[in-house]
Amino acid sequence: QVQLVESGGGSVQAGGSLRLSCAASGYTASLPYIGWFRQAPGKEREGVATIYTGGPGRAMTYYADSVKGRFTISQGNAKNTLYLQMDTLKPEDTAMYYCAGARWVGNVFNQYDYNVWGQGTQVTVSS
């Protein structure tokens, strides 16, 4: 069973940066889709960025329109750590951020396709 543990959240002013980490333990190859979701108070959980490593070539990355050009998803060399570099942060990025993994997805940003979740890390961006 894969376990995911997030870290790196915190408080930052608008325009600042944070890097989130997600440490994966267990048989990580069983989760070729792994990514970041976020949930703000009173809102639905939404996909932020996902990486797919199940193909023969380079990993494929996917980004929500709201974060394209500002956030970068990547994996460590050992592929057991997932990162989310968040730059030019905005107050609307404030949310609990979750790392999640899936064996197969119909839509990379459909939370219900992901069956392994971390506990979340809070990101707060002040104006």
Side-chain angles (χ1 to χ4, degrees), residues 6-127:
E6 304 94 332
S7 61
S11 297
V12 65
Q13 288 195 322
S17 298
L18 281 175
R19 188 173 84 154
L20 305 184
S21 299
C22 172
S25 60
Y27 186 49
T28 57
S30 66
L31 301 177
Y33 291 92
I34 190 162
W36 294 93
F37 287 75
R38 67 186 182 187
Q39 187 168 22
K43 293 191 175 182
E44 286 276 315
R45 189 175 297 184
E46 62 175 0
V48 175
T50 292
I51 191 165
Y52 172 66
T53 59
R58 193 167 61 178
M60 298 179 65
T61 57
Y62 306 86
Y63 295 94
D65 288 343
S66 59
V67 306
K68 274 181 188 174
R70 300 188 299 121
F71 290 10
T72 304
I73 189 171
S74 63
Q75 284 186 306
N77 289 337
K79 297 202 172 20
N80 59 355
T81 305
L82 183 72
Y83 300 104
L84 185 68
Q85 177 67 40
M86 306 186 295
D87 298 318
T88 320
L89 282 161
K90 304 176 181 180
E92 52 262 45
D93 295 317
T94 295
M96 184 71 81
Y97 282 71
Y98 298 89
C99 178
R103 185 176 187 87
W104 180 89
V105 300
N107 178 319
V108 293
F109 292 141
N110 180 358
Q111 60 169 316
Y112 300 106
D113 286 342
Y114 291 75
N115 60 315
V116 180
W117 291 83
Q119 83 289 350
T121 186
Q122 178 67 38
V123 171
T124 302
V125 184
S126 58
S127 57

